[in-house]
Amino acid sequence: MTLNVRPDWWRGGTIYHAYVRSVHDSDGDGYGDLRGLTERVDYFAWLGISALWMSPIMPSPNRDWGYDVADYCGVHPDLGTLDDLDQLIAAFAEHGIHVVLDLVPNHTSSQHHWFVESRSSRTSPYRDYYVWADAKPDGSAPNNWVDDTGEPAWTWDEVAGQYYLHNFLDAQPDLNWWSPGVHDEFDRIMDFWFDRGVAGFRIDVANGLYKDAELRDNPAHPRAYIYDTEIQGRYGLQHVYNFNRPEVHDVYRHWRHRAEARRIVPLLMGETWVSRVDELAPYYGNDDELQLALNFPFIFAPFEPQALARVVADSVAAFPPTACAVWAGSNHDLPRLATRWAEGDSRKTRLAHTILAALPGAFVVYYGDELGMADSDIPAELHRDPLTAGGLNGQWPRDNARAPMRWNSSVGGGFTTGDPWLPVHPDRAQNVEAEQADSTSVLQLTHALIRLRADHLSDTATRYTEVELTGQRWVFDSGPLRVTANFSETAVDLELIGTPVLSSRTIAASTTERLDPWEARIERRTTT
Ligand code: GLC
């Protein structure tokens, strides 16, 4: 393996988020797979990414497409084998690209042997691996917690004679992190993957894990949201006793400590789905917990300079000075940024990419976003996601952001020779082949931005400084770079202060002292 590792490679780096089933299918079964990714390694090397983060690859009954793990130390047969993973890791390492897996420590599949044994008897050694509780005297559930679908988070189990907790589907029982056995299992699981050359984990539901020891009722929330900036108000409850518990920080300090002891320090990136920056910052600890905590307040901010800049400034102020922020605009659970933020306007998509990539820290690109991919409108009868099928409780159908990627304009999009598991993205013109050939495409812009980050933002000392925030104009410094963004339909003046580097519109270095509507410009400052 030729991976030449800089510590903190994620600083100024770009993490490519591959929803594995939708990137490239090597064997014509309609599902993207590990070999498919390896076959495309030259593309990822050209794009310039630092890491490939793969959605869960472990064996799973796929009630939640791998987020219901049945075996933490294997590969799902639809996606390949452990050998295929070894080959993928080696092939990406040749190009200096790290491989990051998705780890799901909050819950397992109900088919995991731990759960099967746990429910079988009160004396099973696995009994305390899960959150079991007796019914209330009237037979009802132990408390008022609801799961991600808005239904009671407790299911009665006849065999066990108790209720079990699931913060997601009933097929995803929550693990009990009060059990020392669970801690040991995850130490072993992480070592297993690190020993295979995996460079880190994205930690699913990283703000979950611990639940209140007394299982107290959650207090009511004055308003019932589905997805909004105030995420904790979902379904009319404040989810204070089943999420975001203080004990979870011990887990991350322990994992970080173990990570630091390895020759090549792995990345721990949390899916820290919290509403506010002050709830997010503690996941960095004193820079001794997670190295990256995904910033949902930023993702949920409206596409307006005041709102985005406020989250950035608050984050930078709240995080420990040595910590590294991480910026993303899309993921597999939400509408894509080209739809949610840009509303289909490619000028806005390009502006969003430029801002995300120019901020100091790590930058996450969700597969297809580099092409400017918007959501698909997949007919309800073709949906494959049980959690949001049929618009369950008003949730947005996640399948629309999971359409297979287009590599060319053919019927199968170069994604598969068979029947794709979800319809290939309908925009035939928006594909890798065409956009690589077009010097002004969104793909070429993303490519240029990724190189620019690597060249200028990888220093630990790289800082964000707000320079100006007036009306729809946001000017900030990011290390040596000056970024000026125009969030409006009106052209605005720009006073050049350094060496022009890039325009979000043309990709070229522009010397005009005028910003077009929805244009961002990057200069390199000549004075600091
Ligand atoms: C995370 C994942 C999501 C999954 C859920 C339950 O939020 O991103 O896709 O459904 O956890 O595992």
Side-chain angles (χ1 to χ4, degrees), residues 309 312-313 316 358-360 461-469 474-483 525 528:
V312 173
V316 170
L359 286 167
T462 301
R463 291 275 167 270
Y464 168 84
T465 316
E466 188 178 295
V467 175
E468 189 195 310
L469 191 57
W474 179 14
V475 186
F476 63 85
D477 287 343
S478 175
L481 304 179
R482 162 68 52 96
V483 181
R525 282 177 300 134
T528 45

Side-chain angles (χ1 to χ4, degrees), residues 277-289:
V277 169
D278 62 314
E279 295 171 316
L280 179 64
Y283 286 93
Y284 285 99
N286 292 315
D287 201 7
D288 59 355
E289 296 190 28

Side-chain angles (χ1 to χ4, degrees), residues 64 67 107 168 172 202 204-205 271 332-333 398 402:
D64 191 9
Y67 285 102
H107 47 266
F168 294 88
Q172 294 168 298
R202 174 266 192 186
D204 190 57
V205 194
E271 187 208 16
H332 64 295
D333 293 327
R398 299 187 297 184
R402 299 177 178 180

